[in-house]
Amino acid sequence: MLTANDSALTGLLNAYLSAQLAGNRREALRLLVDEGLLRGIPLQTLHLEVIQPAQYEIGRLWQENRISVAQEHLATAVSQLALAHLYRHLPRDPLNGKVVLVSCVRGELHEMGARMASDFLEMAGFDVRFLGANVPPEHLARMAAELRPDLVALSVTMTYHLPALREAVAHVRKTLPDVPIAVGGLAFNWARGLEEALGVNFFGKDAREFVASACRVLGV
């Protein structure tokens, strides 16, 4: 179904994807823990080379009408549970004193990428406040004003939510003109250079790159 550098990892990936498509939450978690963590596969690898590519494959199957919306929701719910279950296993660096506010833009219901980035930021010692999906820009700005974060990170998956991203950036800038803003999400695959047009501080291609850029911008 999918490919990876290591054959064992490829097998785990395909088995996890099969469990997703079957809606078998128990098997999906067994694979990630028993065949993953307990066999020495780093949690970061499980995130980026099992859960994330499996979720991309689910999206591709849905786009090609090979699975229904209901099946896509069933599979995605499995990965949402997986991330929640793995959260307690996150290896965490000491807190670095920096607060990051992470949010999906208005209308954006796909929150897995933002959730994964939040987990990676937390592993790196950041104090993360994750708002989840579909956050209206005025409420995002209000939370930013109350929290006074060191960084605001905005996620968008579907390209038709890009106007909402512009609106969110504008609201944050009006509220906190000096706070760094980062963006990420699959929508940028089809909107090359948008991050430059928005004038944000950086774009994270994946969770690991996002954390590296956050560390650089915030001097961690």
Side-chain angles (χ1 to χ4, degrees), residues 56 102-115 117 130 132-134 153-169 182-191 194-195 198 200 203-205 210:
Y56 286 168
V102 181
S103 176
C104 296
V105 301
R106 184 202 297 270
E108 184 58 74
L109 301 178
H110 298 81
E111 65 174 39
M112 282 200 58
R115 182 185 293 273
F130 175 56
N134 187 25
L154 302 172
S155 177
V156 56
T157 298
M158 310 304 290
T159 54
Y160 48 79
H161 292 312
L162 289 174
L165 173 64
R166 294 186 178 92
E167 190 178 13
V169 169
V183 294
L186 280 177
F188 287 87
N189 289 353
W190 297 277
L194 177 60
E195 65 274 16
L198 289 170
V200 296
F203 159 65
K205 185 172 65 175
F210 197 94

Side-chain angles (χ1 to χ4, degrees), residues 82-93:
L83 290 182
H85 184 82
L86 292 176
Y87 177 80
R88 64 191 179 97
H89 296 286
L90 296 183
R92 292 172 172 85
D93 290 343

Side-chain angles (χ1 to χ4, degrees), residues 20-41:
Q20 269 192 291
L21 290 169
N24 192 335
R25 298 183 298 174
R26 181 177 297 181
E27 174 63 7
L29 292 180
R30 186 196 70 78
L31 288 165
L32 292 173
V33 176
D34 294 352
E35 305 298 326
L37 286 178
L38 296 182
R39 291 181 180 268
I41 297 178

Side-chain angles (χ1 to χ4, degrees), residues 65-220:
N65 292 318
R66 295 173 60 186
I67 62 174
S68 68
V69 171
Q71 288 172 303
E72 186 271 336
H73 285 188
L74 183 70
T76 299
V78 171
S79 282
Q80 289 172 334
L81 176 64
L83 290 182
H85 184 82
L86 292 176
Y87 177 80
R88 64 191 179 97
H89 296 286
L90 296 183
R92 292 172 172 85
D93 290 343
L95 288 173
N96 59 33
K98 303 296 184 180
V99 177
V100 182
L101 180 63
V102 181
S103 176
C104 296
V105 301
R106 184 202 297 270
E108 184 58 74
L109 301 178
H110 298 81
E111 65 174 39
M112 282 200 58
R115 182 185 293 273
M116 196 172 291
S118 296
D119 288 352
F120 271 67
L121 285 164
E122 191 163 321
M123 284 189 277
F126 291 93
D127 182 3
V128 180
R129 310 300 168 86
F130 175 56
L131 301 186
N134 187 25
V135 180
E138 59 272 18
H139 293 278
L140 169 66
R142 186 183 306 168
M143 176 63 75
E146 294 173 359
L147 185 61
R148 313 294 292 189
D150 298 285
L151 174 69
V152 174
L154 302 172
S155 177
V156 56
T157 298
M158 310 304 290
T159 54
Y160 48 79
H161 292 312
L162 289 174
L165 173 64
R166 294 186 178 92
E167 190 178 13
V169 169
H171 272 74
V172 172
R173 283 209 173 112
K174 183 177 180 181
T175 304
L176 296 174
D178 297 325
V179 70
I181 300 175
V183 294
L186 280 177
F188 287 87
N189 289 353
W190 297 277
R192 302 288 185 181
L194 177 60
E195 65 274 16
E196 296 175 2
L198 289 170
V200 296
N201 294 79
F202 67 89
F203 159 65
K205 185 172 65 175
D206 60 34
R208 186 175 284 123
E209 181 183 291
F210 197 94
V211 170
S213 296
C215 289
R216 185 187 71 252
V217 168
L218 298 181
V220 174

